[in-house]
Amino acid sequence: MKMRSFLLSNALLLAALGTAHAKTIVVNTVDNTNFSPGQTNLVYALQILADGDVINFAIPGAGVHTIDTPADGYPLITKNNIVIDGYSQQQAGSTASPNTASIHDTNNAQIKICLSSENGNALSMYSAVTNFAGIDYPNLGFGDSEQAVLGFFRATNVWVKGLAFLAAPQTSTSYAAGGDCKTICFAVDAPDVSSLACQGFHVSGCWFGVDPATGQTAYMPDGVTVATPAICIATYGTGTNGTPGFPNIETEPGPGTIGVAAGSANPRAEFNVFVTGYGFDSQGGPFRICGNFWNVLPDGTTLADISTLNGGSQQGDAYVEFGSGRGILIGTDGDGVNDAEEGNLFGAYQNGGIDAYYYGSQGQTIMAGNSFGVDIHGNSFNVGKLTRIIHHLNTAATCQLRFGSDFNGVSDALEANTVVDSLLFDLDNAPAPNSHWVCMRGNSLVNSSTPLGTTPPVGDGQLLGGDGEPLYSAFIDISGPNGTLDIIPTIGAGTSTTTLMGTCGKRLTPDIRVVLDLYEADTTPSVPAQGKRWLGRFAENSAADSNPTEGAYTFDITSLGIAHGTAITLTATYIVDPPVAVLASHVGGNTTLRITGGAPPYDIYGATTITGSYALVASTASNTATFAAPTNMSFYKIVYHPQMTSGVGQTSPFAAVYTMP
């Protein structure tokens, strides 16, 4: 009863606030203890914040203005549709401006507002949330030892931009000493309290662990400890509070954006720069991680290697980490808008580290248009093959990864990843057969361990990047009559600069196509076959294939202009054709569909118009489905598992290197 009363009063309060006009609050002092007339500090600005408000800055004086976090932190931010804009600082000698350079140039942002917890102060998230709500949260994603510079709860569509964040890795509050500083925390409500989950958060144009005055790595007063938090941005799920009869479930955060938002009108202004051991720690999704420098300083050429800074003691789990992740985009979305500006630049580790780490269940991930282990000019950071791009691809049947281009005709070249001196993927210890759907096309791989191998090696001597487990069957079913080696294509001795010929795996089912991708090969000594430059793609048994035998191919490649002596290599990708539904009947309110393509189980989504809102109407484990549907529902989409945007695929390892005669 007490909880219901609180929620009702909150609802009335929110309704009243919704009728007020949004305002702009201008912070004009760095002194968070000064509440005198005419002075607005950040503490007061957050205290009076209402839905739709904007916090701007106009602090007098030249240079960067550092605002120290007060004891026990700033007020918890609970309002919706708010903006905190560091780029609004436009004072004489202290003019902030967002970056205007591409992701492959020096970041030229001028950041003049720095929020600093170098003093060891922060906000304990658990106590902040429970004190605000007036109820306990036994399953809140945050404890009191997880401490924020800016803490958010329930707040929807918040945007933090144009700020520098410096912090001691460990901070303390009156609730918990020696906690982990997690600079920006997004806490979601319990599902039996409300559906508010910090949906639509956006962090852009910010620098973490970088001195905004110099563009160099920032240090604590000891000159050794990097002034970067334990985790830069964190968001976790919250479980049910315990309402009787309510299912025991968890609300997970998302969507959210780190960097360039979808369809941004000014994408270059949204690039973030991170010097971090642990950049983004999350559950849920979908999340966009687009247009960021990770442990590369704003000049784009200087590596801030967290595995060596401060003796490596501040190295964390990964640049980005996902638990029960779903709908994860790292890099270019390939929609034709801002695609050249959405890739990430990932620095390297000398002593071993991870770019993306998964724990828990795992859904669809797209990694496209990124650069790994190189600077903005494409030069290797030369610290060896010690960076693992993805760790812990798990055993879930829904595990799907597109690494590179989908070749759908939109921004295909921009979707390619560049990988230099890196490891690629590793798996759980015992993945289920055929459980990892990895489509890996169009990338440039140089001196990098390629995935999808076995121990002992299969065909071309490749090992699985990382742990080297004998896990090839996790990626593609090798138990059929075609045998293990058939899935790795061969390049025939008759291949020349005008003709590509050889063999490849046969269709595993009638709904699978085999697409071959040709690459100029990396000829680094003692490195397994891999492609450093994509040359072209060919569909086996298509009209362009003059060899009618299934599992064998002959293509005219004259138009590619490949020079004599060029080393080439080849991959085969096994693409499952998308399902097609035929309306069999629509009688008495029941609709029957016959489905071909893909593989059951299928989820069926229906709408009344082709561009309308599609809703899940049925699921089926067979190729025929009968379900109740409105008589005016005539448009259906079929989703099958595993499924991947713009083509499901599993890519075999590269074939052996062949030198053009």
Side-chain angles (χ1 to χ4, degrees), residues 49 76-79 82 84 123 125 129 142 148 150-155 158-160 184-188 198:
L49 197 64
L76 186 68
I77 302 169
T78 61
K79 303 305 179 182
I82 63 106
I84 303 175
L123 177 73
M125 287 298 294
V129 167
F142 292 89
L150 294 179
F152 297 85
F153 175 58
R154 296 179 179 168
V158 301
W159 189 2
V160 178
I184 303 177
C185 294
F186 297 102
V188 309
C198 287

Side-chain angles (χ1 to χ4, degrees), residues 388-465:
R388 189 171 304 168
I389 293 177
I390 300 182
H391 175 56
H392 218 242
L393 289 177
N394 66 24
T395 60
T398 56
C399 171
Q400 307 149 41
L401 169 65
R402 170 159 65 82
F403 189 84
S405 180
D406 56 11
F407 286 112
N408 68 350
V410 180
S411 299
D412 291 336
L414 294 173
E415 292 171 337
N417 295 294
T418 298
V419 183
V420 177
D421 296 334
S422 298
L423 304 172
L424 284 173
F425 321 130
D426 67 6
L427 310 176
D428 280 354
N429 291 326
N434 207 34
S435 61
H436 291 68
W437 287 70
V438 177
C439 187
M440 183 174 174
R441 304 179 63 199
N443 305 291
S444 173
L445 306 180
V446 175
N447 196 28
S448 299
S449 294
T450 52
L452 316 181
T454 65
T455 304
V458 170
D460 60 358
Q462 297 179 66
L463 299 177
L464 185 68

Side-chain angles (χ1 to χ4, degrees), residues 199-272:
Q199 298 98 328
F201 67 79
H202 187 192
V203 179
S204 73
C206 294
W207 292 4
F208 296 81
V210 179
D211 185 337
T214 65
Q216 301 299 306
T217 301
Y219 290 93
M220 297 289 289
D222 63 11
V224 175
T225 305
V226 181
T228 196
I231 296 176
C232 293
I233 304 169
T235 183
Y236 311 124
T238 295
T240 305
N241 259 24
T243 301
F246 197 92
N248 185 22
I249 60 175
E250 181 177 81
T251 295
E252 292 187 336
T257 298
I258 310 298
V260 179
S264 170
N266 192 1
R268 296 180 177 183
E270 298 182 359
F271 298 165
N272 295 300

Side-chain angles (χ1 to χ4, degrees), residues 87 99 103 107 109 111 159-165 184 201-208 210 232-233 257-261 267-275 279-280 288-298 341-346:
Y87 287 127
N99 172 68
I103 195 65
N107 188 300
I111 295 180
W159 189 2
V160 178
K161 59 180 176 178
L163 298 171
F165 289 94
I184 303 177
F201 67 79
H202 187 192
V203 179
S204 73
C206 294
W207 292 4
F208 296 81
V210 179
C232 293
I233 304 169
T257 298
I258 310 298
V260 179
R268 296 180 177 183
E270 298 182 359
F271 298 165
N272 295 300
V273 179
F274 292 86
V275 171
F280 177 49
R288 291 174 57 93
I289 296 93
C290 306
N292 304 286
F293 282 8
W294 298 94
N295 284 7
V296 179
L297 293 180
E341 311 292 353
E342 293 172 340
N344 297 277
L345 189 72
F346 288 94

Side-chain angles (χ1 to χ4, degrees), residues 580-653:
V580 176
V582 176
L583 182 63
S585 65
H586 195 99
V587 179
N590 288 326
T591 294
T592 299
L593 298 180
R594 292 195 180 97
I595 305 169
T596 59
Y602 301 103
D603 289 335
I604 302 169
Y605 292 79
T608 56
T609 64
I610 194 169
T611 59
S613 177
Y614 283 79
L616 179 66
V617 295
S619 297
T620 179
S622 70
N623 292 95
T624 300
T626 299
F627 52 92
T631 56
N632 62 343
M633 184 176 283
S634 302
F635 299 91
Y636 298 97
K637 292 181 179 180
I638 311 300
V639 175
Y640 61 106
H641 303 283
Q643 78 95 28
M644 183 178 296
T645 301
S646 300
V648 173
Q650 290 175 307
T651 305
S652 73

